[in-house]
Amino acid sequence: MILREMLVDDLEQVMKIETELFSPPWTKEGFFTYLTRKDAMFLVVEEKGEILAYCGLLMVLDEGDITNVAVRPDRQREGIGHFLMDSLIRLAEQQGITTIHLEVRVGNRTAIRLYERMGFTRDGIRKKYYTDPVEDALLMTRQAQKVPQN
Ligand SMILES: CC(C)(COP(=O)(O)OP(=O)(O)OC[C@H]1O[C@@H](n2cnc3c(N)ncnc32)[C@H](O)[C@@H]1OP(=O)(O)O)[C@@H](O)C(=O)NCCC(=O)NCCS
């Protein structure tokens, strides 16, 4: 299992996972526009040529916004989501990101538990943020640990 940047060639497999998991899903063009941007970090977990998971982060100065987190349905609950998030956070911190934000459906307990394990805390609720079905978003933020100065 390896972690690497998402490439245009991955989009077919990514879109298969995306449409299975999300309503409404991102479009292929949506992913495509971010793959070449310097202010975006899109990663995949690959095993023997198959994409098992992916995530995306947009960066502005020292802040990041997680746009996507997905693990292929038949490979969930193996720790891949944890590995992916942990890797994303480390790489973001290496690029000077100190605060990471995300939003998640309030009913998505697996994802919320995972984010809390990764150090994200609850900021608030954005009412009726999601469609298909309509649902509130839980806003979460993670601050990088400060390194002691002496
Ligand atoms: C949310 C999501 C990314 C989590 O990914 P994942 O790979 O399943 O996450 P993990 O395996 O690291 O952890 C999930 C659960 O599996 C458990 N788990 C991890 N490894 C395990 C193992 N080897 N055996 C049994 N259980 C295990 C974890 O303890 C965790 O349990 P919990 O939810 O009861 O706390 C994934 O479920 C997903 O893609 N969901 C659909 C899309 C989605 O909701 N994305 C987030 C949008 S904000």
Side-chain angles (χ1 to χ4, degrees):
M1 208 160 72
I2 60 157
L3 178 89
R4 60 167 175 78
E5 279 189 62
M6 189 186 287
L7 305 170
V8 174
D9 280 352
D10 299 324
L11 289 181
E12 201 169 313
Q13 289 191 62
V14 165
M15 281 310 298
K16 192 161 177 292
I17 301 170
E18 178 75 13
T19 48
E20 262 185 85
L21 289 179
F22 296 103
S23 165
W26 269 35
T27 61
K28 195 171 181 178
E29 293 69 32
F31 282 102
F32 183 80
T33 49
Y34 286 114
L35 296 191
T36 52
R37 277 173 56 163
K38 285 255 183 306
D39 61 347
M41 193 192 298
F42 278 70
L43 305 173
V44 297
V45 174
E46 180 198 321
E47 187 182 70
K48 296 177 188 155
E50 294 196 7
I51 305 298
L52 305 184
Y54 57 89
C55 63
L57 178 82
L58 300 183
M59 300 174 282
V60 180
L61 301 174
D62 59 351
E63 301 213 357
D65 245 304
I66 292 182
T67 52
N68 313 71
V69 180
V71 177
R72 208 171 77 183
D74 63 326
R75 299 298 298 267
Q76 291 176 3
R77 300 192 65 82
E78 293 181 23
I80 297 173
H82 188 277
F83 167 69
L84 184 67
M85 288 296 294
D86 189 54
S87 308
L88 180 70
I89 290 166
R90 277 165 201 258
L91 289 168
E93 287 184 359
Q94 280 172 20
Q95 298 214 17
I97 301 294
T98 56
T99 308
I100 301 179
H101 304 279
L102 61 79
E103 63 263 345
V104 54
R105 284 183 183 265
V106 290
N108 193 345
R109 293 172 59 188
T110 303
I112 293 169
R113 267 199 299 268
L114 172 62
Y115 300 144
E116 284 184 329
R117 272 204 300 276
M118 311 299 315
F120 283 83
T121 55
R122 299 166 186 237
D123 282 339
I125 297 286
R126 191 164 286 159
K127 285 277 178 202
K128 298 184 179 170
Y129 179 78
Y130 292 104
T131 55
D132 289 337
V134 172
E135 190 173 351
D136 296 347
L138 173 63
L139 308 178
M140 303 184 83
T141 300
R142 181 185 189 279
Q143 300 287 348
Q145 301 283 325
K146 286 206 177 67
V147 181
Q149 285 305 301
N150 46 5

PDB file of all heavy atoms in Angstrom, residues 71-106:
ATOM      1  N   VAL A  71     -12.757   6.330   1.414  1.00  0.00           N
ATOM      2  CA  VAL A  71     -12.131   5.011   1.364  1.00  0.00           C
ATOM      3  C   VAL A  71     -13.090   4.093   0.611  1.00  0.00           C
ATOM      4  O   VAL A  71     -14.305   4.113   0.873  1.00  0.00           O
ATOM      5  CB  VAL A  71     -11.860   4.467   2.790  1.00  0.00           C
ATOM      6  CG1 VAL A  71     -11.280   3.052   2.730  1.00  0.00           C
ATOM      7  CG2 VAL A  71     -10.917   5.392   3.551  1.00  0.00           C
ATOM      8  N   ARG A  72     -12.565   3.326  -0.326  1.00  0.00           N
ATOM      9  CA  ARG A  72     -13.407   2.438  -1.133  1.00  0.00           C
ATOM     10  C   ARG A  72     -14.267   1.576  -0.203  1.00  0.00           C
ATOM     11  O   ARG A  72     -13.737   1.007   0.760  1.00  0.00           O
ATOM     12  CB  ARG A  72     -12.501   1.550  -2.013  1.00  0.00           C
ATOM     13  CG  ARG A  72     -13.148   1.112  -3.295  1.00  0.00           C
ATOM     14  CD  ARG A  72     -12.137   0.439  -4.185  1.00  0.00           C
ATOM     15  NE  ARG A  72     -11.848  -0.926  -3.734  1.00  0.00           N
ATOM     16  CZ  ARG A  72     -10.951  -1.735  -4.305  1.00  0.00           C
ATOM     17  NH1 ARG A  72     -10.243  -1.315  -5.326  1.00  0.00           N
ATOM     18  NH2 ARG A  72     -10.753  -2.951  -3.845  1.00  0.00           N
ATOM     19  N   PRO A  73     -15.567   1.456  -0.493  1.00  0.00           N
ATOM     20  CA  PRO A  73     -16.472   0.787   0.453  1.00  0.00           C
ATOM     21  C   PRO A  73     -15.994  -0.587   0.931  1.00  0.00           C
ATOM     22  O   PRO A  73     -16.100  -0.892   2.117  1.00  0.00           O
ATOM     23  CB  PRO A  73     -17.778   0.673  -0.339  1.00  0.00           C
ATOM     24  CG  PRO A  73     -17.747   1.832  -1.275  1.00  0.00           C
ATOM     25  CD  PRO A  73     -16.297   2.031  -1.638  1.00  0.00           C
ATOM     26  N   ASP A  74     -15.429  -1.389   0.034  1.00  0.00           N
ATOM     27  CA  ASP A  74     -15.021  -2.743   0.451  1.00  0.00           C
ATOM     28  C   ASP A  74     -13.716  -2.766   1.238  1.00  0.00           C
ATOM     29  O   ASP A  74     -13.283  -3.833   1.672  1.00  0.00           O
ATOM     30  CB  ASP A  74     -14.903  -3.667  -0.784  1.00  0.00           C
ATOM     31  CG  ASP A  74     -13.823  -3.192  -1.748  1.00  0.00           C
ATOM     32  OD1 ASP A  74     -13.635  -1.964  -1.869  1.00  0.00           O
ATOM     33  OD2 ASP A  74     -13.153  -4.039  -2.361  1.00  0.00           O
ATOM     34  N   ARG A  75     -13.090  -1.580   1.426  1.00  0.00           N
ATOM     35  CA  ARG A  75     -11.838  -1.536   2.187  1.00  0.00           C
ATOM     36  C   ARG A  75     -11.937  -0.611   3.402  1.00  0.00           C
ATOM     37  O   ARG A  75     -10.919  -0.217   3.975  1.00  0.00           O
ATOM     38  CB  ARG A  75     -10.669  -1.120   1.273  1.00  0.00           C
ATOM     39  CG  ARG A  75     -10.409  -2.069   0.117  1.00  0.00           C
ATOM     40  CD  ARG A  75     -10.031  -3.478   0.587  1.00  0.00           C
ATOM     41  NE  ARG A  75      -8.795  -3.489   1.351  1.00  0.00           N
ATOM     42  CZ  ARG A  75      -7.573  -3.709   0.823  1.00  0.00           C
ATOM     43  NH1 ARG A  75      -7.459  -3.964  -0.465  1.00  0.00           N
ATOM     44  NH2 ARG A  75      -6.496  -3.701   1.583  1.00  0.00           N
ATOM     45  N   GLN A  76     -13.159  -0.278   3.797  1.00  0.00           N
ATOM     46  CA  GLN A  76     -13.336   0.550   4.996  1.00  0.00           C
ATOM     47  C   GLN A  76     -13.125  -0.305   6.247  1.00  0.00           C
ATOM     48  O   GLN A  76     -13.157  -1.530   6.182  1.00  0.00           O
ATOM     49  CB  GLN A  76     -14.732   1.192   4.992  1.00  0.00           C
ATOM     50  CG  GLN A  76     -14.851   2.247   3.892  1.00  0.00           C
ATOM     51  CD  GLN A  76     -16.238   2.858   3.771  1.00  0.00           C
ATOM     52  OE1 GLN A  76     -17.140   2.541   4.544  1.00  0.00           O
ATOM     53  NE2 GLN A  76     -16.422   3.700   2.775  1.00  0.00           N
ATOM     54  N   ARG A  77     -12.900   0.368   7.375  1.00  0.00           N
ATOM     55  CA  ARG A  77     -12.684  -0.283   8.671  1.00  0.00           C
ATOM     56  C   ARG A  77     -11.431  -1.170   8.699  1.00  0.00           C
ATOM     57  O   ARG A  77     -11.408  -2.217   9.325  1.00  0.00           O
ATOM     58  CB  ARG A  77     -13.921  -1.093   9.100  1.00  0.00           C
ATOM     59  CG  ARG A  77     -15.178  -0.227   9.239  1.00  0.00           C
ATOM     60  CD  ARG A  77     -16.292  -0.966   9.924  1.00  0.00           C
ATOM     61  NE  ARG A  77     -15.955  -1.287  11.307  1.00  0.00           N
ATOM     62  CZ  ARG A  77     -16.075  -0.451  12.332  1.00  0.00           C
ATOM     63  NH1 ARG A  77     -16.538   0.772  12.140  1.00  0.00           N
ATOM     64  NH2 ARG A  77     -15.748  -0.830  13.538  1.00  0.00           N
ATOM     65  N   GLU A  78     -10.401  -0.725   7.975  1.00  0.00           N
ATOM     66  CA  GLU A  78      -9.099  -1.422   8.021  1.00  0.00           C
ATOM     67  C   GLU A  78      -8.013  -0.475   8.528  1.00  0.00           C
ATOM     68  O   GLU A  78      -6.847  -0.825   8.523  1.00  0.00           O
ATOM     69  CB  GLU A  78      -8.698  -1.913   6.620  1.00  0.00           C
ATOM     70  CG  GLU A  78      -9.563  -3.002   6.051  1.00  0.00           C
ATOM     71  CD  GLU A  78      -9.055  -3.436   4.675  1.00  0.00           C
ATOM     72  OE1 GLU A  78      -7.867  -3.237   4.370  1.00  0.00           O
ATOM     73  OE2 GLU A  78      -9.867  -3.975   3.908  1.00  0.00           O
ATOM     74  N   GLY A  79      -8.405   0.749   8.850  1.00  0.00           N
ATOM     75  CA  GLY A  79      -7.418   1.734   9.284  1.00  0.00           C
ATOM     76  C   GLY A  79      -6.878   2.601   8.156  1.00  0.00           C
ATOM     77  O   GLY A  79      -5.993   3.430   8.374  1.00  0.00           O
ATOM     78  N   ILE A  80      -7.403   2.420   6.938  1.00  0.00           N
ATOM     79  CA  ILE A  80      -6.886   3.192   5.791  1.00  0.00           C
ATOM     80  C   ILE A  80      -7.242   4.679   5.941  1.00  0.00           C
ATOM     81  O   ILE A  80      -6.428   5.560   5.667  1.00  0.00           O
ATOM     82  CB  ILE A  80      -7.413   2.620   4.459  1.00  0.00           C
ATOM     83  CG1 ILE A  80      -6.894   1.191   4.271  1.00  0.00           C
ATOM     84  CG2 ILE A  80      -6.987   3.500   3.276  1.00  0.00           C
ATOM     85  CD1 ILE A  80      -7.484   0.447   3.079  1.00  0.00           C
ATOM     86  N   GLY A  81      -8.445   4.953   6.413  1.00  0.00           N
ATOM     87  CA  GLY A  81      -8.862   6.344   6.627  1.00  0.00           C
ATOM     88  C   GLY A  81      -7.944   7.040   7.620  1.00  0.00           C
ATOM     89  O   GLY A  81      -7.529   8.185   7.411  1.00  0.00           O
ATOM     90  N   HIS A  82      -7.592   6.332   8.674  1.00  0.00           N
ATOM     91  CA  HIS A  82      -6.697   6.879   9.687  1.00  0.00           C
ATOM     92  C   HIS A  82      -5.325   7.165   9.081  1.00  0.00           C
ATOM     93  O   HIS A  82      -4.751   8.240   9.272  1.00  0.00           O
ATOM     94  CB  HIS A  82      -6.587   5.887  10.852  1.00  0.00           C
ATOM     95  CG  HIS A  82      -5.844   6.429  12.024  1.00  0.00           C
ATOM     96  ND1 HIS A  82      -4.467   6.416  12.104  1.00  0.00           N
ATOM     97  CD2 HIS A  82      -6.269   7.029  13.161  1.00  0.00           C
ATOM     98  CE1 HIS A  82      -4.087   6.972  13.238  1.00  0.00           C
ATOM     99  NE2 HIS A  82      -5.161   7.356  13.897  1.00  0.00           N
ATOM    100  N   PHE A  83      -4.813   6.210   8.315  1.00  0.00           N
ATOM    101  CA  PHE A  83      -3.506   6.361   7.645  1.00  0.00           C
ATOM    102  C   PHE A  83      -3.514   7.561   6.698  1.00  0.00           C
ATOM    103  O   PHE A  83      -2.586   8.379   6.674  1.00  0.00           O
ATOM    104  CB  PHE A  83      -3.186   5.061   6.888  1.00  0.00           C
ATOM    105  CG  PHE A  83      -2.054   5.170   5.925  1.00  0.00           C
ATOM    106  CD1 PHE A  83      -0.747   5.343   6.369  1.00  0.00           C
ATOM    107  CD2 PHE A  83      -2.276   5.091   4.552  1.00  0.00           C
ATOM    108  CE1 PHE A  83       0.306   5.444   5.476  1.00  0.00           C
ATOM    109  CE2 PHE A  83      -1.226   5.188   3.655  1.00  0.00           C
ATOM    110  CZ  PHE A  83       0.065   5.372   4.119  1.00  0.00           C
ATOM    111  N   LEU A  84      -4.589   7.674   5.928  1.00  0.00           N
ATOM    112  CA  LEU A  84      -4.714   8.750   4.943  1.00  0.00           C
ATOM    113  C   LEU A  84      -4.740  10.116   5.629  1.00  0.00           C
ATOM    114  O   LEU A  84      -4.020  11.046   5.246  1.00  0.00           O
ATOM    115  CB  LEU A  84      -6.004   8.519   4.146  1.00  0.00           C
ATOM    116  CG  LEU A  84      -6.317   9.442   2.993  1.00  0.00           C
ATOM    117  CD1 LEU A  84      -5.313   9.255   1.868  1.00  0.00           C
ATOM    118  CD2 LEU A  84      -7.731   9.141   2.468  1.00  0.00           C
ATOM    119  N   MET A  85      -5.570  10.241   6.664  1.00  0.00           N
ATOM    120  CA  MET A  85      -5.692  11.515   7.373  1.00  0.00           C
ATOM    121  C   MET A  85      -4.395  11.881   8.083  1.00  0.00           C
ATOM    122  O   MET A  85      -3.977  13.036   8.081  1.00  0.00           O
ATOM    123  CB  MET A  85      -6.826  11.429   8.408  1.00  0.00           C
ATOM    124  CG  MET A  85      -8.210  11.410   7.821  1.00  0.00           C
ATOM    125  SD  MET A  85      -8.577  12.947   6.959  1.00  0.00           S
ATOM    126  CE  MET A  85      -8.576  14.094   8.320  1.00  0.00           C
ATOM    127  N   ASP A  86      -3.778  10.876   8.697  1.00  0.00           N
ATOM    128  CA  ASP A  86      -2.518  11.115   9.404  1.00  0.00           C
ATOM    129  C   ASP A  86      -1.450  11.617   8.418  1.00  0.00           C
ATOM    130  O   ASP A  86      -0.732  12.573   8.699  1.00  0.00           O
ATOM    131  CB  ASP A  86      -2.076   9.796  10.060  1.00  0.00           C
ATOM    132  CG  ASP A  86      -0.901   9.994  10.978  1.00  0.00           C
ATOM    133  OD1 ASP A  86      -0.988  10.850  11.865  1.00  0.00           O
ATOM    134  OD2 ASP A  86       0.124   9.309  10.777  1.00  0.00           O
ATOM    135  N   SER A  87      -1.405  10.993   7.244  1.00  0.00           N
ATOM    136  CA  SER A  87      -0.425  11.391   6.228  1.00  0.00           C
ATOM    137  C   SER A  87      -0.708  12.801   5.724  1.00  0.00           C
ATOM    138  O   SER A  87       0.206  13.618   5.563  1.00  0.00           O
ATOM    139  CB  SER A  87      -0.472  10.423   5.041  1.00  0.00           C
ATOM    140  OG  SER A  87      -0.368   9.100   5.472  1.00  0.00           O
ATOM    141  N   LEU A  88      -1.981  13.076   5.456  1.00  0.00           N
ATOM    142  CA  LEU A  88      -2.372  14.396   4.957  1.00  0.00           C
ATOM    143  C   LEU A  88      -1.971  15.487   5.956  1.00  0.00           C
ATOM    144  O   LEU A  88      -1.413  16.523   5.572  1.00  0.00           O
ATOM    145  CB  LEU A  88      -3.888  14.440   4.711  1.00  0.00           C
ATOM    146  CG  LEU A  88      -4.432  15.763   4.188  1.00  0.00           C
ATOM    147  CD1 LEU A  88      -3.989  15.999   2.745  1.00  0.00           C
ATOM    148  CD2 LEU A  88      -5.955  15.803   4.270  1.00  0.00           C
ATOM    149  N   ILE A  89      -2.233  15.233   7.229  1.00  0.00           N
ATOM    150  CA  ILE A  89      -1.922  16.229   8.266  1.00  0.00           C
ATOM    151  C   ILE A  89      -0.413  16.468   8.336  1.00  0.00           C
ATOM    152  O   ILE A  89       0.059  17.600   8.376  1.00  0.00           O
ATOM    153  CB  ILE A  89      -2.490  15.772   9.632  1.00  0.00           C
ATOM    154  CG1 ILE A  89      -4.018  15.857   9.611  1.00  0.00           C
ATOM    155  CG2 ILE A  89      -1.921  16.616  10.768  1.00  0.00           C
ATOM    156  CD1 ILE A  89      -4.702  15.134  10.755  1.00  0.00           C
ATOM    157  N   ARG A  90       0.375  15.379   8.335  1.00  0.00           N
ATOM    158  CA  ARG A  90       1.840  15.530   8.387  1.00  0.00           C
ATOM    159  C   ARG A  90       2.357  16.331   7.200  1.00  0.00           C
ATOM    160  O   ARG A  90       3.173  17.229   7.350  1.00  0.00           O
ATOM    161  CB  ARG A  90       2.518  14.169   8.314  1.00  0.00           C
ATOM    162  CG  ARG A  90       2.609  13.450   9.605  1.00  0.00           C
ATOM    163  CD  ARG A  90       2.939  12.018   9.272  1.00  0.00           C
ATOM    164  NE  ARG A  90       2.578  11.136  10.345  1.00  0.00           N
ATOM    165  CZ  ARG A  90       3.460  10.636  11.194  1.00  0.00           C
ATOM    166  NH1 ARG A  90       4.720  10.947  11.098  1.00  0.00           N
ATOM    167  NH2 ARG A  90       3.057   9.825  12.149  1.00  0.00           N
ATOM    168  N   LEU A  91       1.891  15.976   5.992  1.00  0.00           N
ATOM    169  CA  LEU A  91       2.371  16.670   4.787  1.00  0.00           C
ATOM    170  C   LEU A  91       1.947  18.128   4.803  1.00  0.00           C
ATOM    171  O   LEU A  91       2.702  19.021   4.406  1.00  0.00           O
ATOM    172  CB  LEU A  91       1.840  15.978   3.535  1.00  0.00           C
ATOM    173  CG  LEU A  91       2.464  14.602   3.254  1.00  0.00           C
ATOM    174  CD1 LEU A  91       1.682  13.858   2.182  1.00  0.00           C
ATOM    175  CD2 LEU A  91       3.921  14.772   2.839  1.00  0.00           C
ATOM    176  N   ALA A  92       0.735  18.388   5.277  1.00  0.00           N
ATOM    177  CA  ALA A  92       0.249  19.772   5.359  1.00  0.00           C
ATOM    178  C   ALA A  92       1.109  20.560   6.344  1.00  0.00           C
ATOM    179  O   ALA A  92       1.513  21.694   6.059  1.00  0.00           O
ATOM    180  CB  ALA A  92      -1.220  19.784   5.789  1.00  0.00           C
ATOM    181  N   GLU A  93       1.417  19.949   7.485  1.00  0.00           N
ATOM    182  CA  GLU A  93       2.244  20.644   8.484  1.00  0.00           C
ATOM    183  C   GLU A  93       3.637  20.928   7.929  1.00  0.00           C
ATOM    184  O   GLU A  93       4.212  21.988   8.183  1.00  0.00           O
ATOM    185  CB  GLU A  93       2.307  19.853   9.791  1.00  0.00           C
ATOM    186  CG  GLU A  93       0.984  19.936  10.546  1.00  0.00           C
ATOM    187  CD  GLU A  93       1.017  19.252  11.910  1.00  0.00           C
ATOM    188  OE1 GLU A  93       2.059  18.681  12.278  1.00  0.00           O
ATOM    189  OE2 GLU A  93      -0.027  19.293  12.590  1.00  0.00           O
ATOM    190  N   GLN A  94       4.149  19.988   7.138  1.00  0.00           N
ATOM    191  CA  GLN A  94       5.467  20.226   6.517  1.00  0.00           C
ATOM    192  C   GLN A  94       5.434  21.429   5.582  1.00  0.00           C
ATOM    193  O   GLN A  94       6.450  22.054   5.320  1.00  0.00           O
ATOM    194  CB  GLN A  94       5.909  19.001   5.714  1.00  0.00           C
ATOM    195  CG  GLN A  94       6.484  17.902   6.581  1.00  0.00           C
ATOM    196  CD  GLN A  94       6.732  16.627   5.784  1.00  0.00           C
ATOM    197  OE1 GLN A  94       6.819  16.646   4.563  1.00  0.00           O
ATOM    198  NE2 GLN A  94       6.829  15.518   6.487  1.00  0.00           N
ATOM    199  N   GLN A  95       4.247  21.725   5.050  1.00  0.00           N
ATOM    200  CA  GLN A  95       4.119  22.891   4.160  1.00  0.00           C
ATOM    201  C   GLN A  95       3.709  24.155   4.913  1.00  0.00           C
ATOM    202  O   GLN A  95       3.296  25.136   4.322  1.00  0.00           O
ATOM    203  CB  GLN A  95       3.079  22.591   3.078  1.00  0.00           C
ATOM    204  CG  GLN A  95       3.493  21.425   2.219  1.00  0.00           C
ATOM    205  CD  GLN A  95       3.054  21.577   0.765  1.00  0.00           C
ATOM    206  OE1 GLN A  95       2.715  22.661   0.319  1.00  0.00           O
ATOM    207  NE2 GLN A  95       3.065  20.488   0.035  1.00  0.00           N
ATOM    208  N   GLY A  96       3.751  24.074   6.244  1.00  0.00           N
ATOM    209  CA  GLY A  96       3.478  25.260   7.057  1.00  0.00           C
ATOM    210  C   GLY A  96       2.030  25.467   7.435  1.00  0.00           C
ATOM    211  O   GLY A  96       1.654  26.527   7.957  1.00  0.00           O
ATOM    212  N   ILE A  97       1.199  24.456   7.194  1.00  0.00           N
ATOM    213  CA  ILE A  97      -0.220  24.567   7.577  1.00  0.00           C
ATOM    214  C   ILE A  97      -0.353  24.305   9.077  1.00  0.00           C
ATOM    215  O   ILE A  97       0.083  23.257   9.569  1.00  0.00           O
ATOM    216  CB  ILE A  97      -1.084  23.543   6.793  1.00  0.00           C
ATOM    217  CG1 ILE A  97      -0.964  23.768   5.285  1.00  0.00           C
ATOM    218  CG2 ILE A  97      -2.536  23.567   7.258  1.00  0.00           C
ATOM    219  CD1 ILE A  97      -1.537  25.062   4.783  1.00  0.00           C
ATOM    220  N   THR A  98      -0.943  25.237   9.805  1.00  0.00           N
ATOM    221  CA  THR A  98      -1.081  25.056  11.255  1.00  0.00           C
ATOM    222  C   THR A  98      -2.532  24.808  11.672  1.00  0.00           C
ATOM    223  O   THR A  98      -2.785  24.293  12.749  1.00  0.00           O
ATOM    224  CB  THR A  98      -0.559  26.296  12.014  1.00  0.00           C
ATOM    225  OG1 THR A  98      -1.271  27.444  11.532  1.00  0.00           O
ATOM    226  CG2 THR A  98       0.931  26.495  11.787  1.00  0.00           C
ATOM    227  N   THR A  99      -3.476  25.199  10.831  1.00  0.00           N
ATOM    228  CA  THR A  99      -4.890  25.018  11.165  1.00  0.00           C
ATOM    229  C   THR A  99      -5.581  24.330   9.992  1.00  0.00           C
ATOM    230  O   THR A  99      -5.423  24.755   8.845  1.00  0.00           O
ATOM    231  CB  THR A  99      -5.568  26.390  11.381  1.00  0.00           C
ATOM    232  OG1 THR A  99      -4.802  27.125  12.326  1.00  0.00           O
ATOM    233  CG2 THR A  99      -6.991  26.237  11.896  1.00  0.00           C
ATOM    234  N   ILE A 100      -6.310  23.265  10.294  1.00  0.00           N
ATOM    235  CA  ILE A 100      -7.034  22.563   9.234  1.00  0.00           C
ATOM    236  C   ILE A 100      -8.519  22.535   9.588  1.00  0.00           C
ATOM    237  O   ILE A 100      -8.897  22.175  10.706  1.00  0.00           O
ATOM    238  CB  ILE A 100      -6.508  21.120   9.045  1.00  0.00           C
ATOM    239  CG1 ILE A 100      -5.022  21.126   8.700  1.00  0.00           C
ATOM    240  CG2 ILE A 100      -7.304  20.407   7.949  1.00  0.00           C
ATOM    241  CD1 ILE A 100      -4.418  19.749   8.511  1.00  0.00           C
ATOM    242  N   HIS A 101      -9.339  22.920   8.620  1.00  0.00           N
ATOM    243  CA  HIS A 101     -10.790  22.913   8.808  1.00  0.00           C
ATOM    244  C   HIS A 101     -11.418  21.817   7.946  1.00  0.00           C
ATOM    245  O   HIS A 101     -10.885  21.449   6.902  1.00  0.00           O
ATOM    246  CB  HIS A 101     -11.398  24.244   8.347  1.00  0.00           C
ATOM    247  CG  HIS A 101     -10.817  25.445   9.012  1.00  0.00           C
ATOM    248  ND1 HIS A 101     -11.210  25.851  10.266  1.00  0.00           N
ATOM    249  CD2 HIS A 101      -9.872  26.333   8.615  1.00  0.00           C
ATOM    250  CE1 HIS A 101     -10.536  26.939  10.606  1.00  0.00           C
ATOM    251  NE2 HIS A 101      -9.716  27.247   9.614  1.00  0.00           N
ATOM    252  N   LEU A 102     -12.571  21.346   8.372  1.00  0.00           N
ATOM    253  CA  LEU A 102     -13.364  20.446   7.526  1.00  0.00           C
ATOM    254  C   LEU A 102     -14.825  20.557   7.935  1.00  0.00           C
ATOM    255  O   LEU A 102     -15.150  21.107   8.999  1.00  0.00           O
ATOM    256  CB  LEU A 102     -12.875  19.000   7.638  1.00  0.00           C
ATOM    257  CG  LEU A 102     -12.908  18.298   8.990  1.00  0.00           C
ATOM    258  CD1 LEU A 102     -14.313  17.807   9.355  1.00  0.00           C
ATOM    259  CD2 LEU A 102     -11.966  17.095   8.973  1.00  0.00           C
ATOM    260  N   GLU A 103     -15.687  20.060   7.067  1.00  0.00           N
ATOM    261  CA  GLU A 103     -17.078  19.900   7.472  1.00  0.00           C
ATOM    262  C   GLU A 103     -17.526  18.491   7.122  1.00  0.00           C
ATOM    263  O   GLU A 103     -17.000  17.873   6.193  1.00  0.00           O
ATOM    264  CB  GLU A 103     -18.007  20.953   6.867  1.00  0.00           C
ATOM    265  CG  GLU A 103     -18.134  20.955   5.374  1.00  0.00           C
ATOM    266  CD  GLU A 103     -17.219  21.968   4.710  1.00  0.00           C
ATOM    267  OE1 GLU A 103     -16.692  22.855   5.390  1.00  0.00           O
ATOM    268  OE2 GLU A 103     -17.018  21.837   3.499  1.00  0.00           O
ATOM    269  N   VAL A 104     -18.466  18.002   7.914  1.00  0.00           N
ATOM    270  CA  VAL A 104     -18.906  16.618   7.770  1.00  0.00           C
ATOM    271  C   VAL A 104     -20.395  16.560   8.129  1.00  0.00           C
ATOM    272  O   VAL A 104     -20.854  17.339   8.962  1.00  0.00           O
ATOM    273  CB  VAL A 104     -18.041  15.701   8.691  1.00  0.00           C
ATOM    274  CG1 VAL A 104     -18.027  16.166  10.138  1.00  0.00           C
ATOM    275  CG2 VAL A 104     -18.460  14.243   8.606  1.00  0.00           C
ATOM    276  N   ARG A 105     -21.132  15.673   7.462  1.00  0.00           N
ATOM    277  CA  ARG A 105     -22.549  15.509   7.804  1.00  0.00           C
ATOM    278  C   ARG A 105     -22.670  15.131   9.292  1.00  0.00           C
ATOM    279  O   ARG A 105     -21.925  14.249   9.755  1.00  0.00           O
ATOM    280  CB  ARG A 105     -23.178  14.403   6.944  1.00  0.00           C
ATOM    281  CG  ARG A 105     -23.460  14.820   5.501  1.00  0.00           C
ATOM    282  CD  ARG A 105     -24.146  13.691   4.740  1.00  0.00           C
ATOM    283  NE  ARG A 105     -24.362  14.044   3.346  1.00  0.00           N
ATOM    284  CZ  ARG A 105     -25.503  14.568   2.868  1.00  0.00           C
ATOM    285  NH1 ARG A 105     -26.531  14.778   3.673  1.00  0.00           N
ATOM    286  NH2 ARG A 105     -25.612  14.870   1.585  1.00  0.00           N
ATOM    287  N   VAL A 106     -23.607  15.767   9.996  1.00  0.00           N
ATOM    288  CA  VAL A 106     -23.727  15.517  11.441  1.00  0.00           C
ATOM    289  C   VAL A 106     -24.011  14.044  11.741  1.00  0.00           C
ATOM    290  O   VAL A 106     -23.691  13.547  12.816  1.00  0.00           O
ATOM    291  CB  VAL A 106     -24.799  16.406  12.111  1.00  0.00           C
ATOM    292  CG1 VAL A 106     -24.359  17.853  12.172  1.00  0.00           C
ATOM    293  CG2 VAL A 106     -26.146  16.263  11.432  1.00  0.00           C
TER     294      VAL A 106
END
